[in-house]
Amino acid sequence: MSEYSVFLLEPDELLREAFLSVLEEKGYAVYPFAQALEAQSFVEKIEFQIAVIDNDLCGIKTADVISAVKKAHPFSSV
């Protein structure tokens, strides 16, 4: 098991499942999300070291999600 966990925000179900499969196979704990608003509500509640965020979030600004990640994890490099 990897010492890192991953915050995964990918609206496309096939891509999300592909990322999830590969990351879990490599031993990462993964917190997968399909909806940006749901993901933002969990940013402060979960511990993760890596964030994978789709650039096209269907009407939600990716920068807003990144700002929430930076606020919740200020020492992370985004």
Side-chain angles (χ1 to χ4, degrees), residues 24-72:
E24 287 182 334
E25 182 179 300
K26 297 292 183 183
Y28 292 94
V30 182
Y31 300 99
F33 297 95
Q35 303 293 324
L37 293 176
E38 177 188 22
Q40 278 183 292
S41 71
F42 278 91
V43 164
E44 294 181 16
K45 299 174 186 171
I46 58 176
E47 290 294 323
F48 59 90
Q49 293 73 39
I50 301 168
V52 178
I53 302 171
D54 189 309
N55 193 41
D56 183 12
L57 297 176
C58 305
I60 302 295
K61 292 182 181 179
T62 304
D64 291 344
V65 177
I66 292 171
S67 292
V69 169
K70 284 183 172 183
K71 182 179 177 185

Side-chain angles (χ1 to χ4, degrees), residues 2-43:
S2 176
E3 63 185 80
Y4 297 109
S5 57
V6 179
F7 172 89
L8 172 63
L9 174 53
E10 174 54 66
D12 184 276
E13 183 178 358
L14 291 176
L15 287 174
R16 188 175 57 259
E17 291 300 320
F19 275 121
L20 186 60
S21 175
V22 170
L23 291 168
E24 287 182 334
E25 182 179 300
K26 297 292 183 183
Y28 292 94
V30 182
Y31 300 99
F33 297 95
Q35 303 293 324
L37 293 176
E38 177 188 22
Q40 278 183 292
S41 71
F42 278 91
V43 164

